[in-house]
Amino acid sequence: MLVAQPNETPIRVGLLGAGTVGSQTARLLVEQKDELAARIGRPIELVGVACLDPDEVNYPWIDKSLLTADTMKVATNADIVIELIGGTGVARTFVMAAIESGASVVTANKALLAKYGPEIYNAAAAKGVDIYFEAAVGGAIPFLLPLRESLAGDKVTSMLGIVNGTTNYILDEMTTKGLQFDDVLKDAQAKGYAEADPTGDIEGHDAANKAAIMATLGFHTNVTIDDVSVEGITKITADDIAAATAEHKVIKLLAVVENGEAGVSARVYPALIPETHPLASVHGSFNAIFVKAEAADDLMFYGRGAGGAPTASAVVGDVVTEARHIAQGCTGPTIPMYNDLPKAPIEASRAAFAVRFLIHDKPGVLAAIAKEFADNGVSINGVNQDLKPTMKEPGYDGELQQLRIVTHLTDEVTLRRTVEAVCKLDCVAGEPSILRVLD
Amino acid sequence: MLVAQPNETPIRVGLLGAGTVGSQTARLLVEQKDELAARIGRPIELVGVACLDPDEVNYPWIDKSLLTADTMKVATNADIVIELIGGTGVARTFVMAAIESGASVVTANKALLAKYGPEIYNAAAAKGVDIYFEAAVGGAIPFLLPLRESLAGDKVTSMLGIVNGTTNYILDEMTTKGLQFDDVLKDAQAKGYAEADPTGDIEGHDAANKAAIMATLGFHTNVTIDDVSVEGITKITADDIAAATAEHKVIKLLAVVENGEAGVSARVYPALIPETHPLASVHGSFNAIFVKAEAADDLMFYGRGAGGAPTASAVVGDVVTEARHIAQGCTGPTIPMYNDLPKAPIEASRAAFAVRFLIHDKPGVLAAIAKEFADNGVSINGVNQDLKPTMKEPGYDGELQQLRIVTHLTDEVTLRRTVEAVCKLDCVAGEPSILRVLD
C-alpha cells in the first residue's frame, strides 16, 4: 500500500504569451489553484509570464512581478512551459529551448505543429519530456487526448472535422439568411468573427494545419502541412447553398483525413453533407470532429473551437495532465509515428462531385457540356438547370444561367480535367464551383 | 535523456467474462497485439479468460487453454483485470479481490460503480492501483477520460446525457413513425434492440446508474444510485410526441446531473428539448453527453452506447492507458471525492413542465383545472386542448380529450402536488404525462 508523504514542492509553470488565451489560462491557473492542487496531488505555481510589453499587460490575477519581456528566460526556467505565441517563427525557437531545458510543453500552436510537429515530437521523446496540444485542434473540445488514449486500442480509419469556426459561421449565415459570401464575410469582420485578413480561414489554411495534426496522431505517421491539399470556400455562392438546401443538404468546410488502401490523405474542401449527418447540426462558430474507427464505429466530439476561456480550458487540462505526470515522475504517451504510411496519390481519392457552371443559355449547351463529361469518362448522376440566374455578363445580352451537374464516383484528377475542358467552351462563363458530395 | 532498455516482459491481462463484449475485447487484444505493444512500449498478454462454461466458448482468437471457470484465479493473477461479468453481486467480489491482489481494474459495469463506486475507488487508491471504466457510460464514447483529464482545469456545471440506447431508439421510432410506445417496444424486442425484460431500460434505471457515475466524476463528490431520482418513458404517448413535434421539439430520456447553489443533483427524466439542440440530432441507439463547463462552455460527446465491438474499443482503450502506467511504474489520476457537496433537495429543482391530462370534455373543465394550478401557485404559460382524442373510457359516453398545460418555472414538488390535485377532479381521467421543458 502506497502511503507516500504529500510532496508540497510546487510544479513551476511558465507562460509564453499574455493575449486572449494566455490571460484566460493564467486566470484559471491562479483562480483554481486549490482545486488543481487537489486534482494533481501537488501545487502548481505560475512562475513567469512572457509578453511583448509588461507595462501593457494588466490583469488582476497576474502578479505584476511575473511579467517579463525575456521570453527565453521563462521558456527555460519551468517544469511546464505553455507556448501561446503562435506562428512558426520564434515559437519554434522557444519550444525547442524549453524541451532542451527539460521542460514539458503545452501549446495551442497548430501552425507550428503542422509544420514542425514530427521534429518537435521527436525532440520531446528524445529528451524524455511530454508535449500536449489539445487546444491546437478544435479549441476547447477534448479530442486529441481521447484520440491518443481512448482510441489506442482501436483503428481510426477516417476523421471529418469542422475545425474552423470562421468559415462555419460564414456558411451558416449564408444558409440561414440566403446571403452572398462577400456580404457575410464583411459582416463577420465587422462583428469580430473574422479577421481583418481572413485569408488563412477562408482559403482553408487554418483547417489544413489541423488536418495535418489529426492525420499524424490518428494514423501514427508523419503528415505535415505540405501533405495537405487545400480548397477554401471563397467560390461558394448563395445559389450553391440554395441548391444544397433544396436537396436537404448543407455545405460545410471539412478537414478530411483518411487511412485507405492507397495510403493516408489529408485534405480540406467544402462538401455537401446530408442534413441528417451529425456534422450538419454544428452551427455558427462551433467545431466538431467526426471519427470513424473500426471497433468504436462513429464518434463525434463537439464544442467551441476558439475563444479565450474555452481555449484556456483545454490548455489548463493539458497542464493538469502533465503536472500529474511530473508529480509521479513519469511521462505521458509519446506521439508514435511507427506507421511509415505512404501518402495516397490524388487519383486515389474517389468521390461524387457537384459542379456548378455559369452558362450562356442557348441551344446545344447541355449537349456540349455533357459530351465533355462523356469524353473524359465521368458519369453524370443528375443535372439541374432550373436555378435562377444570378448575374449579367458584360457583352452578353442574354441572361447567364446556372447549370449544376452531379457526378457518379470519379477521381479528383479526372474531374478537374473535365471541368477545365468544360470551362473552355464558348457557352461557359465565370468560375465554376466544385463541391464533394458525402453520404 | 532517458535511454531505457525496452522492457519486453508482457503485461498480464485477465478477462472476466466472454460474452458479447468480452469476446470482442479478446479479439482486439489478440489481433492488435503488435500495434498495442508499439503504443504501450511493452507487450501485453491475455493470460486467462474466465467464463461460466469453457466448453461453450469458441472464438478462433481465444486460445482454448486460456478458458477457465475459476474466475477468482483469473481475477487474482494478472496485472490488469477486465471485469465484464456485470451486476452488483459476484462482480463486486472479484473486483475487490483483483484490487487486493494488486491488479488494476478495467470494467464496463455501471451498476456496480453506481452502487459501490466510492468504496471501490477508495480501495483502489489505498492499494495504489487504478480503476478505469470508460465503457460504463456512453459505451464506445471517450467521455470519462476527457472528463477526468481534459476538463481537470475547468469546472463542470451540468451534464445532460442520452445514455440509454434502447429508450432513445424507442422515442425515435415513436417520433418518426407516429407509433405508440407499446408497439415500438414489442418491435424493438423482436429485433433484439430491447431486452425480454426491458424494465431496467424503459423505467430509467440503467440511465440512473450512469447519472450516478457522471455526477461522482464530474463534481468530485460521492453520488450513488440511491441519490438519483428516476422517471422512465412508459407514460409517453404518441400524442405527447405529436405535440412536441408541432412545437419543433423532441422528447429525449435524459440523465441530468447538476452542480448548483443548492448542491448536486442527479436525475433521469424524459424532457422536451428544442430541435436545434445538439442532443436532438442523436438518433436511434446512439448515445451522447452534453457538458456545460465554466470555461470550455458547451461540449458534446457522441457515439455508440452499446454493442460488442464499440464497447470493446472503450475497454481496450482503458487497458492501453493502464498498461502504459504499469510500463512506466506509475498510476493514473485517482477519482477524487474531495468536494463533499450536499445533495440538492428536490424543491431546488426548478423547471418549466408540460403536463398532459386526459379529460371529459364538458363545460368548466379548464376553469377547474386552472384553479388548481392557481391555488398551488403554479403559473401557466400555455394551454392546448386542440389535440385529437386517443381513447374511449368505459362508462363515459363522450370522448376523452387531451389537455396540455405548459407551466412557467416551478419546483418539482409543487408541480407534482398540483398534478395530483388536478387528477382528483371528476373531469380528469387516466394517467397524466409530465415532461420537463429544456431551453
Side-chain angles (χ1 to χ4, degrees), chain B residues 187-223:
Chain B
D187 184 56
Q189 287 174 309
K191 287 178 175 160
Y193 296 161
E195 296 190 36
D197 177 1
T199 315
D201 291 318
I202 63 178
E203 295 291 1
H205 302 304
D206 173 72
N209 282 328
K210 292 158 181 172
I213 297 171
M214 288 159 64
T216 300
L217 288 186
F219 308 141
H220 310 285
T221 198
N222 184 343
V223 178

mmCIF file of all heavy atoms in Angstrom, chain B residues 187-223:
data_model
loop_
_atom_site.group_PDB
_atom_site.id
_atom_site.type_symbol
_atom_site.label_atom_id
_atom_site.label_comp_id
_atom_site.label_asym_id
_atom_site.label_seq_id
_atom_site.Cartn_x
_atom_site.Cartn_y
_atom_site.Cartn_z
ATOM 1 N N ASP B 187 -41.754 -4.247 -31.119
ATOM 2 C CA ASP B 187 -40.941 -4.341 -32.320
ATOM 3 C C ASP B 187 -39.447 -4.353 -31.968
ATOM 4 O O ASP B 187 -38.662 -5.127 -32.528
ATOM 5 C CB ASP B 187 -41.272 -3.157 -33.235
ATOM 6 C CG ASP B 187 -40.527 -3.230 -34.551
ATOM 7 O OD1 ASP B 187 -40.667 -4.260 -35.236
ATOM 8 O OD2 ASP B 187 -39.778 -2.276 -34.875
ATOM 9 N N ALA B 188 -39.080 -3.493 -31.014
ATOM 10 C CA ALA B 188 -37.674 -3.411 -30.601
ATOM 11 C C ALA B 188 -37.230 -4.723 -29.952
ATOM 12 O O ALA B 188 -36.108 -5.186 -30.155
ATOM 13 C CB ALA B 188 -37.470 -2.253 -29.638
ATOM 14 N N GLN B 189 -38.135 -5.325 -29.193
ATOM 15 C CA GLN B 189 -37.797 -6.618 -28.582
ATOM 16 C C GLN B 189 -37.607 -7.674 -29.661
ATOM 17 O O GLN B 189 -36.678 -8.479 -29.616
ATOM 18 C CB GLN B 189 -38.894 -7.034 -27.603
ATOM 19 C CG GLN B 189 -38.862 -6.208 -26.318
ATOM 20 C CD GLN B 189 -40.029 -6.516 -25.393
ATOM 21 O OE1 GLN B 189 -41.179 -6.494 -25.821
ATOM 22 N NE2 GLN B 189 -39.730 -6.770 -24.120
ATOM 23 N N ALA B 190 -38.501 -7.659 -30.650
ATOM 24 C CA ALA B 190 -38.418 -8.648 -31.741
ATOM 25 C C ALA B 190 -37.098 -8.502 -32.488
ATOM 26 O O ALA B 190 -36.492 -9.484 -32.913
ATOM 27 C CB ALA B 190 -39.599 -8.471 -32.691
ATOM 28 N N LYS B 191 -36.636 -7.257 -32.624
ATOM 29 C CA LYS B 191 -35.395 -7.013 -33.380
ATOM 30 C C LYS B 191 -34.142 -7.148 -32.510
ATOM 31 O O LYS B 191 -33.030 -6.998 -33.007
ATOM 32 C CB LYS B 191 -35.423 -5.605 -33.975
ATOM 33 C CG LYS B 191 -36.371 -5.463 -35.155
ATOM 34 C CD LYS B 191 -36.387 -4.029 -35.664
ATOM 35 C CE LYS B 191 -37.231 -3.893 -36.917
ATOM 36 N NZ LYS B 191 -37.638 -2.499 -37.148
ATOM 37 N N GLY B 192 -34.338 -7.367 -31.202
ATOM 38 C CA GLY B 192 -33.180 -7.501 -30.326
ATOM 39 C C GLY B 192 -32.619 -6.174 -29.837
ATOM 40 O O GLY B 192 -31.561 -6.133 -29.215
ATOM 41 N N TYR B 193 -33.316 -5.071 -30.110
ATOM 42 C CA TYR B 193 -32.858 -3.764 -29.623
ATOM 43 C C TYR B 193 -33.290 -3.519 -28.181
ATOM 44 O O TYR B 193 -32.781 -2.630 -27.513
ATOM 45 C CB TYR B 193 -33.403 -2.618 -30.486
ATOM 46 C CG TYR B 193 -32.921 -2.630 -31.901
ATOM 47 C CD1 TYR B 193 -33.594 -1.925 -32.901
ATOM 48 C CD2 TYR B 193 -31.780 -3.333 -32.267
ATOM 49 C CE1 TYR B 193 -33.152 -1.933 -34.210
ATOM 50 C CE2 TYR B 193 -31.334 -3.341 -33.575
ATOM 51 C CZ TYR B 193 -32.030 -2.638 -34.543
ATOM 52 O OH TYR B 193 -31.593 -2.643 -35.843
ATOM 53 N N ALA B 194 -34.289 -4.282 -27.735
ATOM 54 C CA ALA B 194 -34.719 -4.175 -26.346
ATOM 55 C C ALA B 194 -34.705 -5.571 -25.741
ATOM 56 O O ALA B 194 -34.921 -6.571 -26.445
ATOM 57 C CB ALA B 194 -36.115 -3.564 -26.254
ATOM 58 N N GLU B 195 -34.445 -5.652 -24.457
ATOM 59 C CA GLU B 195 -34.357 -6.960 -23.825
ATOM 60 C C GLU B 195 -35.741 -7.538 -23.546
ATOM 61 O O GLU B 195 -36.740 -6.817 -23.543
ATOM 62 C CB GLU B 195 -33.572 -6.831 -22.523
ATOM 63 C CG GLU B 195 -32.134 -6.400 -22.790
ATOM 64 C CD GLU B 195 -31.259 -6.487 -21.556
ATOM 65 O OE1 GLU B 195 -31.461 -7.422 -20.766
ATOM 66 O OE2 GLU B 195 -30.383 -5.627 -21.406
ATOM 67 N N ALA B 196 -35.777 -8.843 -23.286
ATOM 68 C CA ALA B 196 -37.045 -9.507 -22.989
ATOM 69 C C ALA B 196 -37.691 -8.842 -21.774
ATOM 70 O O ALA B 196 -38.903 -8.608 -21.747
ATOM 71 C CB ALA B 196 -36.808 -10.990 -22.738
ATOM 72 N N ASP B 197 -36.890 -8.561 -20.750
ATOM 73 C CA ASP B 197 -37.381 -7.750 -19.639
ATOM 74 C C ASP B 197 -36.768 -6.359 -19.776
ATOM 75 O O ASP B 197 -35.620 -6.134 -19.393
ATOM 76 C CB ASP B 197 -36.983 -8.357 -18.297
ATOM 77 C CG ASP B 197 -37.435 -7.457 -17.148
ATOM 78 O OD1 ASP B 197 -38.064 -6.403 -17.411
ATOM 79 O OD2 ASP B 197 -37.145 -7.801 -15.988
ATOM 80 N N PRO B 198 -37.530 -5.443 -20.347
ATOM 81 C CA PRO B 198 -36.960 -4.128 -20.679
ATOM 82 C C PRO B 198 -37.017 -3.138 -19.520
ATOM 83 O O PRO B 198 -36.645 -1.974 -19.693
ATOM 84 C CB PRO B 198 -37.867 -3.649 -21.813
ATOM 85 C CG PRO B 198 -39.209 -4.231 -21.477
ATOM 86 C CD PRO B 198 -38.956 -5.543 -20.744
ATOM 87 N N THR B 199 -37.473 -3.581 -18.351
ATOM 88 C CA THR B 199 -37.725 -2.664 -17.232
ATOM 89 C C THR B 199 -36.556 -1.731 -16.942
ATOM 90 O O THR B 199 -36.728 -0.519 -16.805
ATOM 91 C CB THR B 199 -38.053 -3.464 -15.953
ATOM 92 O OG1 THR B 199 -38.976 -4.487 -16.304
ATOM 93 C CG2 THR B 199 -38.653 -2.563 -14.885
ATOM 94 N N GLY B 200 -35.368 -2.313 -16.822
ATOM 95 C CA GLY B 200 -34.203 -1.513 -16.454
ATOM 96 C C GLY B 200 -33.952 -0.361 -17.417
ATOM 97 O O GLY B 200 -33.509 0.715 -17.014
ATOM 98 N N ASP B 201 -34.259 -0.587 -18.691
ATOM 99 C CA ASP B 201 -34.083 0.475 -19.679
ATOM 100 C C ASP B 201 -35.251 1.459 -19.648
ATOM 101 O O ASP B 201 -35.047 2.653 -19.438
ATOM 102 C CB ASP B 201 -33.964 -0.133 -21.090
ATOM 103 C CG ASP B 201 -32.663 -0.901 -21.267
ATOM 104 O OD1 ASP B 201 -31.621 -0.406 -20.799
ATOM 105 O OD2 ASP B 201 -32.692 -1.992 -21.861
ATOM 106 N N ILE B 202 -36.461 0.966 -19.836
ATOM 107 C CA ILE B 202 -37.589 1.887 -20.057
ATOM 108 C C ILE B 202 -38.011 2.623 -18.790
ATOM 109 O O ILE B 202 -38.584 3.701 -18.865
ATOM 110 C CB ILE B 202 -38.811 1.162 -20.688
ATOM 111 C CG1 ILE B 202 -39.368 0.085 -19.752
ATOM 112 C CG2 ILE B 202 -38.441 0.573 -22.040
ATOM 113 C CD1 ILE B 202 -40.600 -0.628 -20.311
ATOM 114 N N GLU B 203 -37.707 2.076 -17.629
ATOM 115 C CA GLU B 203 -38.013 2.797 -16.388
ATOM 116 C C GLU B 203 -36.872 3.729 -15.969
ATOM 117 O O GLU B 203 -36.947 4.403 -14.949
ATOM 118 C CB GLU B 203 -38.324 1.814 -15.249
ATOM 119 C CG GLU B 203 -39.580 0.980 -15.464
ATOM 120 C CD GLU B 203 -40.889 1.792 -15.399
ATOM 121 O OE1 GLU B 203 -40.826 3.025 -15.209
ATOM 122 O OE2 GLU B 203 -41.952 1.176 -15.556
ATOM 123 N N GLY B 204 -35.800 3.730 -16.734
ATOM 124 C CA GLY B 204 -34.737 4.706 -16.496
ATOM 125 C C GLY B 204 -33.638 4.260 -15.535
ATOM 126 O O GLY B 204 -32.729 5.037 -15.227
ATOM 127 N N HIS B 205 -33.686 3.007 -15.056
ATOM 128 C CA HIS B 205 -32.707 2.585 -14.052
ATOM 129 C C HIS B 205 -31.291 2.491 -14.630
ATOM 130 O O HIS B 205 -30.312 2.820 -13.961
ATOM 131 C CB HIS B 205 -33.116 1.245 -13.445
ATOM 132 C CG HIS B 205 -34.468 1.298 -12.805
ATOM 133 N ND1 HIS B 205 -34.781 2.211 -11.821
ATOM 134 C CD2 HIS B 205 -35.604 0.589 -13.023
ATOM 135 C CE1 HIS B 205 -36.041 2.050 -11.454
ATOM 136 N NE2 HIS B 205 -36.580 1.072 -12.183
ATOM 137 N N ASP B 206 -31.183 2.028 -15.871
ATOM 138 C CA ASP B 206 -29.861 1.950 -16.498
ATOM 139 C C ASP B 206 -29.258 3.359 -16.618
ATOM 140 O O ASP B 206 -28.097 3.580 -16.259
ATOM 141 C CB ASP B 206 -29.988 1.303 -17.886
ATOM 142 C CG ASP B 206 -28.677 1.335 -18.656
ATOM 143 O OD1 ASP B 206 -27.768 0.577 -18.273
ATOM 144 O OD2 ASP B 206 -28.553 2.124 -19.609
ATOM 145 N N ALA B 207 -30.055 4.295 -17.081
ATOM 146 C CA ALA B 207 -29.573 5.682 -17.193
ATOM 147 C C ALA B 207 -29.226 6.251 -15.821
ATOM 148 O O ALA B 207 -28.288 7.050 -15.685
ATOM 149 C CB ALA B 207 -30.637 6.551 -17.886
ATOM 150 N N ALA B 208 -29.981 5.832 -14.796
ATOM 151 C CA ALA B 208 -29.725 6.335 -13.435
ATOM 152 C C ALA B 208 -28.350 5.886 -12.937
ATOM 153 O O ALA B 208 -27.637 6.637 -12.274
ATOM 154 C CB ALA B 208 -30.821 5.863 -12.493
ATOM 155 N N ASN B 209 -27.973 4.645 -13.244
ATOM 156 C CA ASN B 209 -26.636 4.177 -12.876
ATOM 157 C C ASN B 209 -25.573 5.085 -13.478
ATOM 158 O O ASN B 209 -24.594 5.470 -12.825
ATOM 159 C CB ASN B 209 -26.412 2.741 -13.391
ATOM 160 C CG ASN B 209 -27.098 1.702 -12.522
ATOM 161 O OD1 ASN B 209 -27.226 1.884 -11.311
ATOM 162 N ND2 ASN B 209 -27.536 0.612 -13.132
ATOM 163 N N LYS B 210 -25.781 5.415 -14.739
ATOM 164 C CA LYS B 210 -24.802 6.257 -15.426
ATOM 165 C C LYS B 210 -24.792 7.668 -14.845
ATOM 166 O O LYS B 210 -23.734 8.304 -14.736
ATOM 167 C CB LYS B 210 -25.092 6.240 -16.920
ATOM 168 C CG LYS B 210 -24.811 4.850 -17.506
ATOM 169 C CD LYS B 210 -25.526 4.579 -18.802
ATOM 170 C CE LYS B 210 -25.215 3.177 -19.305
ATOM 171 N NZ LYS B 210 -26.026 2.796 -20.472
ATOM 172 N N ALA B 211 -25.982 8.167 -14.481
ATOM 173 C CA ALA B 211 -26.057 9.508 -13.874
ATOM 174 C C ALA B 211 -25.229 9.564 -12.590
ATOM 175 O O ALA B 211 -24.534 10.556 -12.325
ATOM 176 C CB ALA B 211 -27.511 9.884 -13.597
ATOM 177 N N ALA B 212 -25.299 8.513 -11.789
ATOM 178 C CA ALA B 212 -24.528 8.494 -10.539
ATOM 179 C C ALA B 212 -23.027 8.566 -10.824
ATOM 180 O O ALA B 212 -22.289 9.310 -10.170
ATOM 181 C CB ALA B 212 -24.858 7.228 -9.739
ATOM 182 N N ILE B 213 -22.583 7.825 -11.824
ATOM 183 C CA ILE B 213 -21.158 7.821 -12.175
ATOM 184 C C ILE B 213 -20.745 9.189 -12.723
ATOM 185 O O ILE B 213 -19.701 9.747 -12.351
ATOM 186 C CB ILE B 213 -20.860 6.709 -13.215
ATOM 187 C CG1 ILE B 213 -21.160 5.333 -12.610
ATOM 188 C CG2 ILE B 213 -19.425 6.789 -13.705
ATOM 189 C CD1 ILE B 213 -21.116 4.185 -13.616
ATOM 190 N N MET B 214 -21.580 9.754 -13.600
ATOM 191 C CA MET B 214 -21.285 11.071 -14.179
ATOM 192 C C MET B 214 -21.149 12.136 -13.085
ATOM 193 O O MET B 214 -20.236 12.966 -13.116
ATOM 194 C CB MET B 214 -22.408 11.484 -15.147
ATOM 195 C CG MET B 214 -22.432 10.707 -16.459
ATOM 196 S SD MET B 214 -24.048 10.766 -17.301
ATOM 197 C CE MET B 214 -24.209 12.505 -17.680
ATOM 198 N N ALA B 215 -22.072 12.120 -12.126
ATOM 199 C CA ALA B 215 -22.040 13.135 -11.069
ATOM 200 C C ALA B 215 -20.813 12.973 -10.184
ATOM 201 O O ALA B 215 -20.154 13.959 -9.828
ATOM 202 C CB ALA B 215 -23.317 13.064 -10.230
ATOM 203 N N THR B 216 -20.474 11.733 -9.842
ATOM 204 C CA THR B 216 -19.304 11.496 -8.992
ATOM 205 C C THR B 216 -18.035 12.008 -9.670
ATOM 206 O O THR B 216 -17.234 12.726 -9.067
ATOM 207 C CB THR B 216 -19.157 9.994 -8.682
ATOM 208 O OG1 THR B 216 -20.333 9.553 -8.002
ATOM 209 C CG2 THR B 216 -17.936 9.729 -7.813
ATOM 210 N N LEU B 217 -17.869 11.660 -10.950
ATOM 211 C CA LEU B 217 -16.647 12.059 -11.648
ATOM 212 C C LEU B 217 -16.647 13.541 -11.995
ATOM 213 O O LEU B 217 -15.610 14.203 -11.949
ATOM 214 C CB LEU B 217 -16.496 11.254 -12.938
ATOM 215 C CG LEU B 217 -16.129 9.793 -12.771
ATOM 216 C CD1 LEU B 217 -15.874 9.162 -14.118
ATOM 217 C CD2 LEU B 217 -14.897 9.644 -11.910
ATOM 218 N N GLY B 218 -17.801 14.064 -12.357
ATOM 219 C CA GLY B 218 -17.863 15.449 -12.807
ATOM 220 C C GLY B 218 -17.733 16.455 -11.675
ATOM 221 O O GLY B 218 -17.152 17.518 -11.848
ATOM 222 N N PHE B 219 -18.279 16.081 -10.511
ATOM 223 C CA PHE B 219 -18.327 17.047 -9.412
ATOM 224 C C PHE B 219 -17.420 16.667 -8.247
ATOM 225 O O PHE B 219 -17.419 17.344 -7.219
ATOM 226 C CB PHE B 219 -19.770 17.215 -8.930
ATOM 227 C CG PHE B 219 -20.750 17.517 -10.034
ATOM 228 C CD1 PHE B 219 -22.024 16.951 -10.036
ATOM 229 C CD2 PHE B 219 -20.397 18.361 -11.078
ATOM 230 C CE1 PHE B 219 -22.925 17.233 -11.062
ATOM 231 C CE2 PHE B 219 -21.297 18.644 -12.111
ATOM 232 C CZ PHE B 219 -22.564 18.070 -12.092
ATOM 233 N N HIS B 220 -16.695 15.558 -8.388
ATOM 234 C CA HIS B 220 -15.726 15.149 -7.366
ATOM 235 C C HIS B 220 -16.395 15.009 -6.010
ATOM 236 O O HIS B 220 -15.922 15.538 -5.006
ATOM 237 C CB HIS B 220 -14.565 16.138 -7.306
ATOM 238 C CG HIS B 220 -14.003 16.402 -8.656
ATOM 239 N ND1 HIS B 220 -13.221 15.497 -9.313
ATOM 240 C CD2 HIS B 220 -14.145 17.451 -9.503
ATOM 241 C CE1 HIS B 220 -12.900 15.983 -10.508
ATOM 242 N NE2 HIS B 220 -13.454 17.152 -10.639
ATOM 243 N N THR B 221 -17.505 14.335 -6.012
ATOM 244 C CA THR B 221 -18.242 14.137 -4.777
ATOM 245 C C THR B 221 -18.940 12.783 -4.875
ATOM 246 O O THR B 221 -19.089 12.225 -5.956
ATOM 247 C CB THR B 221 -19.241 15.302 -4.563
ATOM 248 O OG1 THR B 221 -19.640 15.347 -3.211
ATOM 249 C CG2 THR B 221 -20.456 15.166 -5.471
ATOM 250 N N ASN B 222 -19.330 12.278 -3.739
ATOM 251 C CA ASN B 222 -19.866 10.930 -3.667
ATOM 252 C C ASN B 222 -21.359 10.897 -4.013
ATOM 253 O O ASN B 222 -22.184 11.359 -3.242
ATOM 254 C CB ASN B 222 -19.621 10.422 -2.234
ATOM 255 C CG ASN B 222 -20.041 8.987 -2.056
ATOM 256 O OD1 ASN B 222 -20.788 8.437 -2.863
ATOM 257 N ND2 ASN B 222 -19.548 8.376 -0.993
ATOM 258 N N VAL B 223 -21.668 10.376 -5.180
ATOM 259 C CA VAL B 223 -23.073 10.232 -5.589
ATOM 260 C C VAL B 223 -23.306 8.775 -5.966
ATOM 261 O O VAL B 223 -22.573 8.228 -6.791
ATOM 262 C CB VAL B 223 -23.404 11.138 -6.806
ATOM 263 C CG1 VAL B 223 -24.852 10.933 -7.251
ATOM 264 C CG2 VAL B 223 -23.148 12.600 -6.480
#
